[in-house]
Amino acid sequence: MPIMSAEDPYRFFTWNVTYGDIYPLGVRQQGILINGQFPGPDIYSVTNDNIIINVYNNLPEPFLISWNGVQQRKNSFEDGVYGTTCPIPPGKNFTYIFQMKDQIGSFYYFPSLSFHKAAGGFGGIRILSRPRIPVPFPEPDGDFTVLIGDWYKTDHRILKAVLDKGKMLKFPDGILINGRGNGASFTVEQGKTYRLRISNVGLHNSLNFRIQGHVMKLVEVEGTHTVQTTISSLDVHAGQSYSVLVTANQPPTQDYYIAVSTRFTTKVLTTTAILHYSNSRKPVSGPVPSGPSTDIQSSLNQARSIRTNLTASGPRPNPQGSYHYGQINVSRTIRVANLAGIVNGKQRYAVNGASFVPADTPLKLADYFNIGGVFRVGSIPDYPPSGRGIRLDTSVMEADYRAFVEIVFQNRESIVQSWHLDGYSFFVVGMDRGSWTPTSRKQYNLVDAISRSTTQVYPKSWTAIYIALDNAGMWNLRTEFWARQYLGQQFYLRVYTPIQSVRDEYPIPKNALLCGRARGRST
């Protein structure tokens, strides 16, 4: 169990995970419910809270939950992906024990095994600032979780079987807002201001979010307070989370559309929810507000405009701008390129030529117990190879604890990519069309780049990040395009220190599940 400070509060949750009938797009499906809910319950917490979640797996197959954006400081054992954590067997339970250490903001959880994410099991996470830490906007009159994402009417087991056969999935059937294809509603009072925590929990598509007759003020991105900009619509790429403030300043006699639609797709899917004024007597009227569709430049411009509020406090009292990332010498450059191809007659996806194949034992456990033969450090190179061949491997890249690293994501394909790194936030210092070269560094933002854990890479484009590797452990770097993740577009970053000390990393939890070649070992 992690060593925790006595003054930090504990929050206890008991979750029963089951299958149940859901009708998100009007047809019956078997969804994953948590305590009978779809989506699952929100996790409310405050910076440094200790979180205890006892998960009972009542599914007929193994199950895991991961925490998108929660950094699991010094504690990758609790990350809830198969590379770090043994699955919860059917009919059994496991208690996650972790801390919201030095974090604020809006995130979400999701089921990480198989293709469970296509069946639900996701929910919102909010980490509030401690009472004496200033927040750079007045406390809103309400706070809503808004989970958006594309969705299939097809059962998740059928989708998984399609992928297992090496085939590609068809285009999704619709978009959900808080688990509903239509009909979600958010009640507001005229003159009051509300915070919307928007997360794209979908499987593939970038989505555009907008509200009829209202503007939004962007205030937070995945735990970082932003320079506050007013926007009429917001692109939310797969896996990303944003907070906006919306003031109910329109005539209260009617309701207004909330619209969400796919971006960069030939066929555009759109769904709506209702912004309901509490004393309105008229339903929504007029056309659903249209959004951008295939235009990339406007999305790129919006992404570049999102900046860190340097004077605002983060989870600590000191300003977010007190960490001068642009003045630190980069010790290593890693270039990451995604690739699609056929291996043994089946569709696969790769990073730097390596398509990830899960081992028989979680990599973190194999590392901890010194079990040989599970993975090979250095099985994925720092740079994409010159050819277009793809090999199957359990890809693990070694990195030095406390190194300061530049990662460049190069996307040579014609679709948007979205990349997430567990265990960290990173500075998105640059993005542009074309191929990255060392001279691209001249356009980096070295002052107030946004710090986040999920970044998009536009078609035929690149994105560069800076990251301080100050969190020892085994961390998943993956695409948020879930079919591609399932078919190999991911690897693990082993942030390693030879010194075994609880100052750097917690020991294995006493209640850790042991599986594969770790079965029978002692915790």
Side-chain angles (χ1 to χ4, degrees):
M1 181 182 296
I3 298 168
M4 295 174 175
S5 174
E7 64 269 15
D8 294 321
Y10 283 74
R11 294 181 187 263
F12 296 88
F13 305 83
T14 300
W15 286 359
N16 288 297
V17 179
T18 59
Y19 280 127
D21 288 343
I22 58 174
Y23 300 81
L25 292 178
V27 299
R28 186 173 72 175
Q29 294 178 253
Q30 196 168 60
I32 293 177
L33 313 181
I34 298 179
N35 295 348
Q37 300 178 46
F38 169 76
D42 278 358
I43 295 176
Y44 294 81
S45 63
V46 175
T47 301
N48 292 347
D49 278 357
N50 298 305
I51 306 298
I52 316 293
I53 306 180
N54 192 357
V55 178
Y56 287 84
N57 176 21
N58 294 302
L59 306 183
E61 67 259 13
F63 184 76
L64 269 180
I65 293 178
S66 190
W67 324 93
N68 217 68
V70 177
Q71 292 176 11
Q72 305 289 357
R73 303 293 301 175
K74 304 194 288 187
N75 196 20
S76 63
F77 293 106
E78 303 281 1
D79 198 35
V81 290
Y82 182 65
T84 63
T85 313
C86 286
I88 308 170
K92 303 293 185 182
N93 71 299
F94 173 69
T95 301
Y96 289 90
I97 304 168
F98 57 90
Q99 188 178 23
M100 303 302 200
K101 180 66 175 171
D102 289 339
Q103 284 194 265
I104 56 167
S106 310
F107 309 98
Y108 67 93
Y109 61 86
F110 69 97
S112 62
L113 289 186
S114 298
F115 215 59
H116 284 155
K117 194 179 181 188
F122 43 72
I125 299 173
R126 60 183 67 178
I127 310 175
L128 304 179
S129 297
R130 288 173 289 177
R132 288 186 294 276
I133 305 296
V135 175
F137 49 87
E139 184 171 352
D141 298 293
D143 196 328
F144 295 113
T145 293
V146 185
L147 303 177
I148 61 177
D150 48 14
W151 189 262
Y152 289 91
K153 294 178 181 178
T154 307
D155 186 272
H156 72 97
R157 285 162 289 210
I158 297 175
L159 297 174
K160 177 179 177 294
V162 171
L163 295 173
D164 288 338
K165 291 175 183 175
K167 307 297 183 183
M168 298 173 70
L169 298 181
K170 64 182 179 65
F171 195 65
D173 296 303
I175 299 170
L176 304 188
I177 302 175
N178 284 356
R180 303 180 71 167
N182 279 296
S185 181
F186 303 87
T187 300
V188 298
E189 295 181 31
Q190 190 192 35
K192 293 189 174 181
T193 297
Y194 298 84
R195 182 173 185 170
L196 276 57
R197 300 173 186 263
I198 307 162
S199 293
N200 185 341
V201 299
L203 300 170
H204 170 185
N205 282 288
S206 301
L207 300 174
N208 181 266
F209 182 94
R210 54 206 181 272
I211 304 175
Q212 181 185 27
H214 296 72
V215 295
M216 302 173 283
K217 183 182 290 184
L218 182 65
V219 294
E220 177 252 334
V221 173
E222 295 165 19
T224 301
H225 288 131
T226 65
V227 173
Q228 295 177 16
T229 54
T230 299
I231 52 178
S232 58
S233 74
L234 176 65
D235 284 344
V236 187
H237 304 277
Q240 293 186 338
S241 297
Y242 290 87
S243 279
V244 298
L245 297 180
V246 176
T247 299
N249 56 7
Q250 295 301 300
T253 53
Q254 70 169 69
D255 293 341
Y256 298 86
Y257 283 116
I258 296 172
V260 179
S261 58
T262 52
R263 282 288 261 132
F264 321 117
T265 56
T266 304
K267 176 184 177 182
V268 178
L269 297 174
T270 300
T271 195
T272 59
I274 303 300
L275 190 71
H276 169 63
Y277 277 66
S278 58
N279 55 348
S280 75
R281 292 178 177 83
K282 287 172 55 182
V284 289
S285 63
V288 175
S290 61
S293 55
T294 58
D295 173 49
I296 292 172
Q297 192 61 44
S298 64
S299 187
L300 177 60
N301 292 344
Q302 183 177 80
R304 287 171 168 165
S305 73
I306 298 172
R307 310 243 168 169
T308 294
N309 183 337
L310 298 180
T311 59
S313 297
R316 296 181 177 182
N318 50 304
Q320 294 180 139
S322 59
Y323 181 73
H324 301 290
Y325 68 91
Q327 299 175 16
I328 302 172
N329 290 328
V330 171
S331 58
R332 179 181 177 187
T333 295
I334 301 167
R335 285 172 35 217
V336 169
N338 43 278
L339 181 64
I342 304 297
V343 179
N344 300 326
K346 294 184 176 182
Q347 181 69 51
R348 295 293 299 186
Y349 300 94
V351 184
N352 289 1
S355 184
F356 186 85
V357 179
D360 61 6
T361 305
L363 310 180
K364 183 60 186 171
L365 298 187
D367 206 16
Y368 183 83
F369 291 118
N370 293 312
I371 302 170
V374 175
F375 68 90
R376 181 174 57 87
V377 170
S379 47
I380 179 171
D382 281 20
Y383 299 94
S386 56
R388 295 187 59 83
I390 293 178
R391 58 185 173 81
L392 304 180
D393 210 329
T394 303
S395 322
V396 176
M397 183 180 289
E398 176 95 350
D400 293 333
Y401 179 53
R402 298 203 180 281
F404 192 77
V405 172
E406 173 189 44
I407 300 179
V408 178
F409 298 98
Q410 182 71 59
N411 179 17
R412 299 190 182 101
E413 298 184 65
S414 58
I415 60 170
V416 174
Q417 301 285 333
S418 188
W419 289 93
H420 175 84
L421 176 59
D422 284 351
Y424 286 95
S425 281
F426 46 71
F427 295 94
V428 184
V429 293
M431 56 176 66
D432 204 355
R433 306 280 193 100
S435 295
W436 181 91
T437 68
T439 58
S440 303
R441 296 188 178 112
K442 292 179 181 178
Q443 60 179 279
Y444 282 6
N445 176 1
L446 300 181
V447 179
D448 61 354
I450 196 67
S451 177
R452 63 185 314 166
S453 58
T454 309
T455 187
Q456 71 272 31
V457 191
Y458 291 99
K460 312 283 188 184
S461 300
W462 59 267
T463 295
I465 66 173
Y466 279 179
I467 180 168
L469 297 178
D470 58 358
N471 193 13
M474 187 77 70
W475 303 108
N476 190 216
L477 179 61
R478 61 176 177 267
T479 177
E480 291 285 357
F481 187 153
W482 214 241
R484 294 177 72 116
Q485 176 272 152
Y486 183 77
L487 293 179
Q489 193 177 317
Q490 59 170 307
F491 68 92
Y492 281 81
L493 192 65
R494 180 187 187 236
V495 181
Y496 177 73
T497 172
I499 302 168
Q500 292 191 343
S501 166
V502 294
R503 182 195 66 188
D504 298 333
E505 189 174 14
Y506 294 134
I508 189 170
K510 286 185 168 56
N511 70 328
L513 298 172
L514 300 178
C515 56
R517 286 183 250 176
R519 188 173 280 113
R521 305 278 177 140
S522 172
T523 60

